[in-house]
Amino acid sequence: MRGRRDSKKQKVSEDQVHVSGDAEKLQRTNQSGLSQKIPVKRHAASLGKSCGVAHSGVNRKQDVAEHEEGSEGDTPGEQYGGNGFPISMNMEEINDSDWEDGSAHASKYKGSDSEAFINGITVELNPLQDFSHRKIKRRASTEDKEVAELVHKVHLLCLLARGRIIDKACDDPLIQASLLSLVPAQLLKLSEIQKLTGVSLHPLISWFHSHFKVTRLSSEEKFFPSAMAQALEAKHGTLEEIAALSVALFRAMNLTARFVSLLDVVPLKPGVDKGDLPFKGAQGKAKGIFKNPTVMIDSFNPKPVSPAQPTLCSDKNNEDSKKLKSSNATNEINGFQELKRKGDAEYEMQMEMALSATAFEVSEDAVAAKATNDSFPSPTTLGRITTGLLPSSSSQPVATAVGASKIGAPLHWAEVYCSGENSIGKWVHVDAINGLLGGEERVEAAAAACKTSLRYVVAFAGYGAKDVTRRYCRRWYRIAPHRVNTPWWDEVLAPLKELESRATGGSIKLPFTNDSGLHQEMVVESSMKSEFVATGSILEDMELETRAFYEPLPTNQQAYRNHPLYALERWLTKYQVIHPKNPILGFCNGFPVYRRSCVQILKTKEKWMREGLQVRHNEFPAKVLKRIDKSVKEQLHEDDDSEETNSGGTIELFGKWQLEPLSLLHAVNGIVPKNDRGQVDVWSEKCLPHGTVHLKLPRIFALAKKLEIDYAPAMVGFEFRNGRSVPVYDGIVVCSEFKDILLEAYAEEKGRKETEERKRNEREVISRWYQLLSSIITRQRLNNCYGSRQPNSPGKVVTLTSGASNENLSTSQQHVEKMELEQHIAVSVSHSTEEHDHEHMFVTVKKCSLENGSLVTKRCQCGFSVQVEEI
DNA sequence: CTGCATCAGGTGTCTTTGAACCCA
DNA sequence: TTGGGTTCTTTGACACCTGATGCA
């Protein structure tokens, strides 16, 4: 509670900061010599309110509320509203939207408006406040999250595309040939080694490391192969270029090599780890994601520093190593000896337990790698690059602290396939820039030390790509939440993986000849290629997947919350249970750690039934929950003795291991088996009782009832309406034998209803026309008797002004009839008016019988006729 | 300074089976 | 009188996530 109270206090304080902060804006914008306080007080006086002067420690919102109340309808209030923001604007909105974005709004109040704005608000400056440290936190909305994810994905795709471009450049035959021409002859023998091992690569990497330097962090916007060629010529360039050159060299020497890139993508979640945003330091130049992530550190201290200390050139390391010793408590000279922190011992023990429990042996290589870890430089050492060639008068933005911390993050390196490693071969990490070999275990730590999160490590070859992050991370559970959803990523990589797989496996390399200095690459595709491709790729996949099994157990309980492999009982939800409770992989703070696969989801019988499953007989609930429900409470009050009520107060949950396929009831003698409510729950077709069908036709229940066929309403789900969830019904369930009868009857009934409806409409139309014509006749008679010379009557077409005449004439047939009648009436009336005083004498000419009477057609000698329906 | 444990609040998801009244 | 249709009113418990805080 204390913490909560404190946070509330802080909130008030923040409000005060807002006021003061805006006062600062006013101060900034009110450059015309106006005092900061005087106008404010003047306005306060004009309002006659004591709220005028803000008093430190008084809630600003209260002040503003009072202010609004007092200024309602007043001119000052209108000024306030008109200059700052509408007076009707909710102050909460103002808090949320306006105060936070100081720079944007500051400009809004410049000029003549500023004074009026100041008049409308009461502030007091607190010079002791440090506004630069004001931190306004806003919870990310769903939209923010979606946007962040989209940006993350786009950035990822851009970096993938970039990697492919670089990879393609590594295959450039000219660059490869040029590189080969530089390599000493004795090193070229490397290509002849049948069973290549990491160790055999040492001389080559050493040579490369001593000849090529990283001198820039960001590349110019230049076509990459050209930039690479220039770097080759100059023997220095960017990280990307030098790493790509190393890959090109390996490929030129007929080694199977990949260009590997750590994709430093913008965070997946909004507002997370903003310091790591690759483009943040670019001073808003909005070109970050398309450039090297370390672009913002272009012009850090140009003091010439020796290149990265290679493991293989250890004599260079001493001095820097000493610096390291003092600067990085976790590292020692080339030793990277981890500090023995609390929990490390437990970690080691758990690691062993996990390994034994998962029955996976740590390969000798892993042990060897661990052993060789001691020979790698620290992440900080990795960060050293040569910057002496940078112009001291660079106009590039000065590096930020955050950006600077990213210097030296391992972003690009190579992987060389060493067939001599293991019995099946192995991809070996080769960082020729830093002279590192087999240092995959170090990459994560080095990246972390340089504030670069290791989330995606992608290997490029053959214009394809493959995610090899697993190889470089030790704690996948930490990375996984920061990666994009797996299906999407897999889908993106699938075609690229195929390309990569084709390029890196299955080629048999013949001994090359080096005639007249020109390297002849002879690669003969083996007839077994496809088999090897599949095997090699799958083996690597297996290797990467297997790493998950010897991932160490986290030492903190929190890490088990969403750990993909391990689970603690305490983090289970109420609908989860551990089953079976073995093996125990280890302990965390005394709590047993289980496999995630042992976490079972529990559901009620009803829920399982919806999935076409039912609980086996004599199975006890895996878990029983107490239901705290209003209705149950009420029920308990009403009927304390009922056992049903007692059981209704709990929820019995069952696990998947207690289930069997749903055995549905059978319809017998045309009777549909129903539930307690006299209905059938049709969650899916699986839930339909045997021998029944679901007929989804409107009002078919009425027909079933009429035909005395047994049926049950089909409840297909629920919808929330009027504050409660109500069942949704769709059609009925009847026995299969009645299906055809019902459908036929339904069709027949439908036809009958349509006919009935049509006849009814016709009768209605006729009736209305009769009314119309009757009124016309009456009108005509009246005209004849009393107003035959009225100006608007003679010779005029009678228009259909009757309200009834326009209704029910929607069909085309009716429309035609109407038009015909109009003509008829027009002719008749016109004719009759020509006869002046003619009085119609109707003679019955036609009589036809109807259902409820007869239709009589009467015609006058003048040609005017009417139809009269006699009932 | 960092990482972890704990707590509390915000947010989103899942839950779920009327009753009164009118009218033909 | 009865059965069918319409209208009324607009949950709340809980899991999960996140930020704040204290502690080692």
Side-chain angles (χ1 to χ4, degrees):
Chain A
M1 285 304 291
R2 189 182 53 177
R4 186 56 51 188
R5 244 182 271 126
D6 287 346
S7 73
K8 280 178 182 168
K9 273 186 197 168
Q10 192 179 348
K11 195 174 181 182
V12 172
S13 170
E14 274 186 10
D15 282 344
Q16 290 162 9
V17 170
H18 287 162
V19 175
S20 304
D22 216 64
E24 189 189 39
K25 287 182 207 166
L26 300 180
Q27 188 182 3
R28 267 204 313 272
T29 55
N30 186 13
Q31 300 291 331
S32 57
L34 285 172
S35 162
Q36 294 163 12
K37 266 194 166 180
I38 289 171
V40 173
K41 284 191 173 180
R42 182 159 49 81
H43 173 59
S46 73
L47 286 174
K49 287 279 179 184
S50 62
C51 69
V53 181
H55 1 276
S56 58
V58 175
N59 191 318
R60 183 179 64 88
K61 285 179 186 172
Q62 188 186 342
D63 285 347
V64 173
E66 287 176 12
H67 171 96
E68 282 187 332
E69 192 186 338
S71 63
E72 193 175 351
D74 290 344
T75 312
E78 286 167 7
Q79 279 181 347
Y80 169 76
N83 292 289
F85 16 71
I87 191 71
S88 59
M89 194 172 177
N90 187 321
M91 289 312 293
E92 290 293 336
E93 289 173 29
I94 296 166
N95 287 344
D96 291 345
S97 60
D98 284 356
W99 300 137
E100 294 182 15
D101 198 353
S103 58
H105 292 279
S107 59
K108 238 165 75 175
Y109 308 127
K110 279 183 181 170
S112 60
D113 286 350
S114 61
E115 187 183 356
F117 172 72
I118 293 165
N119 285 343
I121 192 163
T122 305
V123 294
E124 185 178 60
L125 289 178
N126 181 1
L128 297 176
Q129 291 277 8
D130 185 2
F131 304 113
S132 62
H133 293 301
R134 186 165 63 112
K135 191 180 179 185
I136 295 167
K137 287 182 179 175
R138 185 175 63 87
R139 189 178 278 263
S141 65
T142 311
E143 191 186 358
D144 293 338
K145 289 173 188 168
E146 284 172 0
V147 169
E149 188 181 335
L150 282 174
V151 172
H152 181 86
K153 285 179 176 175
V154 170
H155 193 192
L156 205 48
L157 293 175
C158 290
L159 293 176
L160 263 184
R162 174 76 177 175
R164 296 179 74 194
I165 289 169
I166 296 169
D167 170 59
K168 199 172 187 183
C170 295
D171 286 334
D172 190 310
L174 272 177
I175 289 175
Q176 290 188 2
S178 305
L179 277 165
L180 277 178
S181 68
L182 297 172
V183 177
Q186 68 271 18
L187 291 178
L188 293 174
K189 289 176 184 171
L190 198 64
S191 309
E192 297 169 14
I193 299 174
Q194 291 292 325
K195 290 282 183 186
L196 187 72
T197 60
V199 177
S200 50
L201 286 168
H202 277 196
L204 182 65
I205 296 162
S206 182
W207 172 84
F208 185 90
H209 173 72
S210 60
H211 281 76
F212 292 90
K213 309 289 179 196
V214 175
T215 54
R216 299 193 309 275
L217 286 172
S218 66
S219 59
E220 296 161 23
E221 289 184 10
K222 199 185 281 183
F223 185 51
F224 187 80
S226 310
M228 197 172 156
Q230 278 189 4
L232 170 61
E233 196 177 345
K235 294 194 175 62
H236 61 80
T238 65
L239 282 165
E240 259 180 349
E241 290 158 7
I242 302 301
L245 282 174
S246 70
V247 175
L249 174 64
F250 296 139
R251 289 181 184 172
M253 295 188 70
N254 224 3
L255 307 178
T256 309
R258 290 160 162 174
F259 174 77
V260 184
S261 197
L262 189 160
L263 308 185
D264 193 14
V265 196
V266 293
L268 178 62
K269 290 170 185 171
V272 174
D273 197 13
K274 279 185 178 170
D276 279 351
L277 290 180
F279 46 80
K280 192 196 174 195
Q283 308 261 340
K285 287 190 175 178
K287 56 184 180 179
I289 64 170
F290 298 105
K291 299 196 49 106
N292 188 306
T294 49
V295 64
M296 65 288 212
I297 50 170
D298 268 356
S299 65
F300 72 99
N301 184 8
K303 183 181 72 175
V305 186
S306 64
Q309 277 64 34
T311 312
L312 306 168
C313 308
S314 57
D315 54 332
K316 291 185 182 178
N317 294 345
N318 295 341
E319 195 178 332
D320 287 327
S321 303
K322 284 173 189 169
K323 289 176 191 169
L324 252 179
K325 207 173 184 178
S326 58
S327 65
N328 191 342
T330 62
N331 302 335
E332 289 190 357
I333 302 172
N334 290 334
F336 202 72
Q337 187 178 340
E338 293 177 12
L339 186 72
K340 288 289 179 188
R341 292 172 31 185
K342 180 192 172 188
D344 279 8
E346 190 178 13
Y347 165 85
E348 297 289 345
M349 185 188 74
Q350 286 170 343
M351 173 93 168
E352 284 176 21
M353 287 184 73
L355 290 173
S356 58
T358 48
F360 270 88
E361 290 180 9
V362 182
S363 67
E364 287 180 7
D365 293 300
V367 177
K370 189 172 172 61
T372 54
N373 283 343
D374 292 347
S375 62
F376 288 102
S378 73
T380 316
T381 315
L382 289 174
R384 301 202 170 273
I385 61 161
T386 305
T387 57
L389 296 178
L390 280 174
S392 58
S393 59
S394 170
S395 60
Q396 296 284 340
V398 177
T400 63
V402 172
S405 67
K406 285 198 168 200
I407 298 170
L411 295 174
H412 313 286
W413 60 91
E415 274 183 357
V416 177
Y417 186 76
C418 295
S419 56
E421 297 277 344
N422 288 341
S423 56
I424 53 169
K426 184 188 169 189
W427 285 99
V428 173
H429 163 264
V430 179
D431 184 355
I433 295 170
N434 296 301
L436 298 176
L437 190 67
E440 60 259 29
E441 302 280 341
R442 297 270 61 81
V443 172
E444 186 177 22
C450 299
K451 302 275 181 186
T452 303
S453 56
L454 187 143
R455 284 165 295 174
Y456 304 92
V457 181
V458 178
F460 297 90
Y463 210 44
K466 182 173 186 174
D467 189 325
V468 292
T469 315
R470 283 271 192 189
R471 181 172 291 130
Y472 296 93
C473 82
R474 294 181 73 191
R475 289 181 286 184
W476 181 256
Y477 72 90
R478 284 193 161 192
I479 288 174
H482 302 288
R483 283 165 58 98
V484 75
N485 66 76
T486 310
W488 180 85
W489 183 232
D490 287 348
E491 196 180 340
V492 166
L493 283 183
L496 300 177
K497 198 176 166 186
E498 181 78 22
L499 290 171
E500 190 277 339
S501 172
R502 277 184 206 156
T504 55
S507 55
I508 290 177
K509 301 167 187 73
L510 296 178
F512 71 97
T513 55
N514 192 6
D515 296 338
S516 63
L518 186 67
H519 181 74
Q520 296 286 331
E521 190 178 19
M522 293 177 66
V523 178
V524 176
E525 297 295 323
S526 161
S527 60
M528 292 169 66
K529 178 180 176 176
S530 60
E531 187 187 347
F532 181 80
V533 169
T535 310
S537 181
I538 289 169
L539 281 175
E540 191 193 16
D541 288 345
M542 284 171 62
E543 181 211 329
L544 295 176
E545 287 297 317
T546 306
R547 294 179 76 89
F549 289 96
Y550 49 87
E551 189 170 305
L553 297 182
T555 52
N556 63 310
Q557 296 184 40
Q558 285 277 331
Y560 289 91
R561 270 189 125 146
N562 293 304
H563 199 290
L565 297 170
Y566 310 122
L568 277 189
E569 205 157 12
R570 66 170 297 185
W571 295 125
L572 299 181
T573 67
K574 67 175 190 175
Y575 291 99
Q576 287 179 330
V577 75
I578 303 275
H579 179 85
K581 281 196 170 180
N582 60 68
I584 294 172
L585 304 181
F587 290 88
C588 178
N589 296 342
F591 297 102
V593 177
Y594 302 96
R595 280 184 191 164
R596 176 62 63 178
S597 58
C598 294
V599 175
Q600 304 278 350
I601 293 175
L602 303 177
K603 292 180 185 179
T604 59
K605 280 181 183 176
E606 291 75 23
K607 277 285 175 68
W608 284 123
M609 201 187 74
R610 292 179 193 185
E611 296 178 19
L613 297 164
Q614 69 178 21
V615 177
R616 279 198 301 264
H617 191 58
N618 293 335
E619 285 284 356
F620 292 102
K623 206 181 209 179
V624 178
L625 300 176
K626 284 185 181 174
R627 188 207 298 267
I628 302 166
D629 189 70
K630 263 186 187 175
S631 58
V632 173
K633 277 183 181 174
E634 286 167 9
Q635 219 176 345
L636 279 165
H637 280 295
E638 287 171 9
D639 189 5
D640 290 335
D641 300 331
S642 168
E643 284 182 15
E644 283 295 314
T645 330
N646 201 22
S647 65
T650 59
I651 304 170
E652 295 182 344
L653 301 172
F654 297 89
K656 212 165 190 174
W657 71 96
Q658 298 176 293
L659 306 173
E660 61 186 8
L662 185 63
S663 59
L664 296 158
L665 294 170
H666 286 262
V668 182
N669 297 329
I671 305 296
V672 178
K674 307 172 188 72
N675 65 10
D676 301 341
R677 302 174 195 277
Q679 64 196 29
V680 175
D681 295 346
V682 190
W683 301 104
S684 69
E685 292 297 315
K686 289 178 191 170
C687 300
L688 273 179
H690 290 298
T692 64
V693 286
H694 181 198
L695 300 178
K696 288 182 267 188
L697 296 166
R699 292 195 60 79
I700 196 167
F701 68 90
L703 200 59
K705 190 181 278 184
K706 188 179 169 185
L707 296 172
E708 295 182 343
I709 293 172
D710 185 65
Y711 72 94
M715 204 275 284
V716 294
F718 288 91
E719 70 176 14
F720 207 80
R721 209 169 53 201
N722 301 337
R724 64 171 68 85
S725 59
V726 290
V728 178
Y729 298 96
D730 185 15
I732 58 171
V733 176
V734 294
C735 293
S736 309
E737 58 263 33
F738 299 122
K739 181 187 173 185
D740 293 337
I741 298 169
L742 266 173
L743 288 178
E744 280 173 24
Y746 186 82
E748 194 181 315
E749 179 72 9
K750 197 179 170 188
R752 195 184 64 77
K753 277 192 174 172
E754 281 173 0
T755 310
E756 208 171 77
E757 180 73 12
R758 196 173 60 248
K759 282 182 179 174
R760 200 174 60 81
N761 280 343
E762 284 172 1
R763 280 203 302 275
E764 183 76 8
V765 168
I766 289 164
S767 165
R768 291 190 176 190
W769 276 112
Y770 174 74
Q771 288 174 19
L772 172 66
L773 293 172
S774 299
S775 67
I776 290 169
I777 291 162
T778 307
R779 179 191 175 90
Q780 183 67 35
R781 189 183 297 129
L782 287 170
N783 272 340
N784 291 340
C785 292
Y786 307 106
S788 61
R789 292 299 174 188
Q790 281 181 5
N792 60 343
S793 57
K796 277 207 164 185
V797 174
V798 176
T799 54
L800 301 172
T801 54
S802 166
S805 63
N806 285 331
E807 294 174 6
N808 293 330
L809 292 172
S810 55
T811 65
S812 58
Q813 185 189 354
Q814 286 168 347
H815 184 68
V816 170
E817 285 175 10
K818 176 188 157 191
M819 296 299 289
E820 287 173 353
L821 273 164
E822 271 184 354
Q823 285 177 356
H824 179 69
I825 291 164
V827 169
S828 304
V829 173
S830 174
H831 179 74
S832 68
T833 51
E834 284 170 7
E835 298 289 325
H836 296 296
D837 293 327
H838 171 76
E839 188 174 340
H840 296 297
M841 296 291 289
F842 291 104
V843 179
T844 302
V845 294
K846 195 178 176 184
K847 189 173 181 178
C848 57
S849 59
L850 297 171
E851 278 183 7
N852 299 323
S854 59
L855 187 67
V856 179
T857 306
K858 294 182 176 181
R859 191 180 294 277
C860 175
Q861 284 182 335
C862 67
F864 186 71
S865 65
V866 293
Q867 285 187 321
V868 181
E869 187 180 351
E870 291 178 355
I871 302 170

